[in-house]
Amino acid sequence: MMGYEKSIATMNYRKFDMSSVSFEINSERSIHYHKQIVPVPKHLILKFATALDRQCYFNNKKVKGNANLDFEEFTLKDPTYKGIVEDPKANYVQFTLYETSEAEPKVYLAQFQVEQRLDLQFGRRVLAFLLNLPKRVKWDSPLCLQTPEEETKEAQAFQKGYRDYDIAPK
């Protein structure tokens, strides 16, 4: 998974001059593991920590019943970080920032208890705020919906653009 994530971030940077942010949710109560990778204009990636802090404040102080999220910054090689993400019982929300295709990614991770309610839109809220796209918070909003034909066309365009960065054996 990390190899594909890195190769997509490399493509975004080299081909489109964009940084990338991935976010993921791992929870024992979730139906499935969840990860998204989003290209972000390079000038906005520097504002990520501010966007994260704002959404944490909103999540932790303004909304009743959500798990309080307290993010810590790690590197991918940090033994504490590895201990968390390699634990199948760990419940966490994570953002990984790829500022360039060569720089070591920054990781922001918050843990929560399995019995706590987690806002599953939290990652999208952070990125929507960062990108100034408030109407894109909910994945099923009319603004985000596509016809099957549009989805197919975009998938084919991605496959074509990604071909030179794909890490799968040829």
Side-chain angles (χ1 to χ4, degrees), residues 132-144:
N132 195 25
L133 296 170
K135 294 180 181 177
R136 301 293 302 253
V137 169
K138 294 191 65 133
W139 66 271
D140 59 353
S141 77
L143 188 62
C144 296

Side-chain angles (χ1 to χ4, degrees), residues 18-138:
M18 303 278 270
S19 297
S20 297
V21 175
S22 75
F23 67 89
E24 57 194 85
I25 298 171
N26 188 61
S27 174
E28 291 178 77
R29 290 185 12 185
S30 289
I31 296 170
H32 60 82
Y33 175 82
H34 180 85
K35 179 181 280 226
Q36 290 189 28
I37 304 171
V38 179
V40 173
K42 291 187 306 188
H43 71 280
L44 291 178
I45 201 77
L46 301 174
K47 299 178 180 182
F48 176 82
T50 302
L52 180 60
D53 287 346
R54 180 192 181 273
Q55 291 304 314
C56 280
Y57 174 79
F58 183 77
N59 179 78
N60 296 350
K61 305 289 186 208
K62 300 287 185 184
V63 179
K64 302 292 182 211
N66 279 350
N68 279 342
L69 299 175
D70 182 23
F71 283 84
E72 294 181 64
E73 188 175 337
F74 295 99
T75 66
L76 294 174
K77 297 174 184 168
D78 186 306
T80 302
Y81 166 75
K82 285 185 171 191
I84 296 167
V85 298
E86 291 175 1
D87 179 357
K89 297 286 187 185
N91 298 284
Y92 61 87
V93 178
Q94 174 180 305
F95 293 90
T96 306
L97 278 62
Y98 295 88
E99 291 181 35
T100 71
S101 57
E102 280 79 35
E104 180 71 23
K106 293 180 184 175
V107 177
Y108 295 85
L109 185 137
Q111 297 182 78
F112 58 92
Q113 299 301 314
V114 69
E115 65 276 358
Q116 293 177 306
R117 181 190 178 282
L118 180 67
D119 175 7
L120 296 178
Q121 299 299 319
F122 184 79
R124 288 182 70 102
R125 288 183 202 288
V126 172
L127 289 177
F129 179 74
L130 178 66
L131 296 168
N132 195 25
L133 296 170
K135 294 180 181 177
R136 301 293 302 253
V137 169
K138 294 191 65 133

Side-chain angles (χ1 to χ4, degrees), residues 144-162:
C144 296
L145 296 179
Q146 294 180 307
T147 66
E149 294 79 20
E150 291 169 323
E151 285 184 16
T152 299
K153 185 178 177 181
E154 284 201 12
Q156 290 170 342
F158 174 81
Q159 290 168 345
K160 182 179 177 186
Y162 182 63

